[in-house]
Structures are given as C-alpha cells and as structure tokens.
Amino acid sequence: MHRRTLILIIVAASVLMAIEPVGEIGRGIIRRVLFVDDMAVCTRPYSISILDASDIEQIREIANIPLPGDIADEVVLNNGVMYVTFWPNGIRAYSVTDLNNIRLIGHLDAQQEGDSLWDISHKGNALYVNSNNGTIIVDVSDPENMRYTGRIPQRG
C-alpha cells in the first residue's frame, strides 16, 4: 500500500512540473475557486471575481463584487443565488441570475451564534456550514431571510 502511494506522488509531481501558465488575472490572492460550467467564481480578500473560463487561454473577468474590509472564504451556487461565507462574520446571499446586476439579497450574522464560519455546502434548501462550534444548518428556502435551523455538534 505504501509503495503504490509513493509512486502516485512521484507521478503527480512530474505532471505538476510540466504545467505552464497560459494567462493571469490580477487583483490579489485567490482564496477559493468554484467552477460552474464555463465560469469560475474566485473569492479574494476584499472582492469576489466571476471569470469566463470557457477558453483557458483567454480567461477574462465578467463580474466583480467589491467587498471593502471583508474577506470572502467559501462559495456555493444554488438556483441563481450565490452564498458566500465571510470569515468570521457570516453568510451573504447574492442574486447572480443577471451578472450585469449582481445584488446582495440576504445576510445571516454568525456572530449572534458565536460562530466563525468557513466551509459551506448545500443540499436542497439547506446550507451546511462548518464553524468553530460544529456544523450549522441554515434554511435558505427564502434567501432574503436565511435562518439557523440546527447544529451538528463537534465531537472530540
């Protein structure tokens, strides 16, 4: 078992050395990237960029959401709404059905529950968000009025 793992690591390292950059998008460090079809949603300190990634050699920014003083962390898309965790202060919901008119439609303050949020996933009308106090469950059936509905406590 250990021998196979080592071989895979060596193969992966040799492939990585063969990668050549084909372009660059400016404006700071990219924290997370979510690919959806031909788009890439990138969270950065103080902004979220949405990129057209349909041509890997001609990646271009098609939308930008400035976030003065905030650091976006994780992002998920569900039914035309982009949910973003902001470490440590909460979740924001943005309508992204029109990329020329992205707008904030909801916010859930994590501080009221004493949580610092990071990883986020969704299923149906629920978000599952990892926090320092376990995984919180958020009802997003109405993105403008998100609400806590439960918690999966941390173990150990």
Side-chain angles (χ1 to χ4, degrees):
M1 180 70 173
H2 295 294
R3 187 173 184 191
R4 286 184 187 161
T5 303
L6 181 59
I7 291 169
L8 289 175
I9 291 169
I10 291 169
V11 169
S14 67
V15 170
L16 287 175
M17 289 191 290
I19 295 174
E20 294 182 28
V22 294
E24 182 178 332
I25 299 292
R27 279 213 290 265
I29 298 166
I30 295 175
R31 293 178 56 82
R32 305 284 191 270
V33 178
L34 172 68
F35 286 96
V36 179
D37 299 324
D38 288 337
M39 285 189 333
V41 179
C42 305
T43 60
R44 307 167 181 261
Y46 316 118
S47 73
I48 298 170
S49 296
I50 300 175
L51 310 175
D52 176 351
S54 59
D55 180 351
I56 195 70
E57 293 186 17
Q58 298 294 322
I59 294 174
R60 64 184 181 85
E61 185 174 74
I62 53 178
N64 183 273
I65 304 167
L67 307 167
D70 284 327
I71 298 176
D73 198 25
E74 291 285 337
V75 60
V76 295
L77 292 169
N78 186 26
N79 295 325
V81 178
M82 179 174 62
Y83 298 95
V84 184
T85 58
F86 287 85
W87 186 90
N89 59 2
I91 303 168
R92 293 185 191 157
Y94 294 90
S95 173
V96 292
T97 54
D98 178 0
L99 293 178
N100 293 313
N101 186 27
I102 296 173
R103 55 194 176 82
L104 178 66
I105 58 173
H107 178 262
L108 183 65
D109 184 6
Q111 295 300 315
Q112 68 186 8
E113 299 290 322
D115 288 306
S116 293
L117 307 179
W118 46 88
D119 297 329
I120 186 172
S121 59
H122 73 87
K123 182 174 182 179
N125 286 325
L127 293 179
Y128 298 87
V129 187
N130 288 341
S131 79
N132 55 310
N133 294 314
T135 300
I136 62 170
I137 304 166
V138 178
D139 178 357
V140 292
S141 56
D142 178 4
E144 294 178 20
N145 297 296
M146 296 180 282
R147 62 186 179 85
Y148 285 95
T149 58
R151 179 182 302 275
I152 303 167
Q154 281 184 331
R155 301 278 186 241

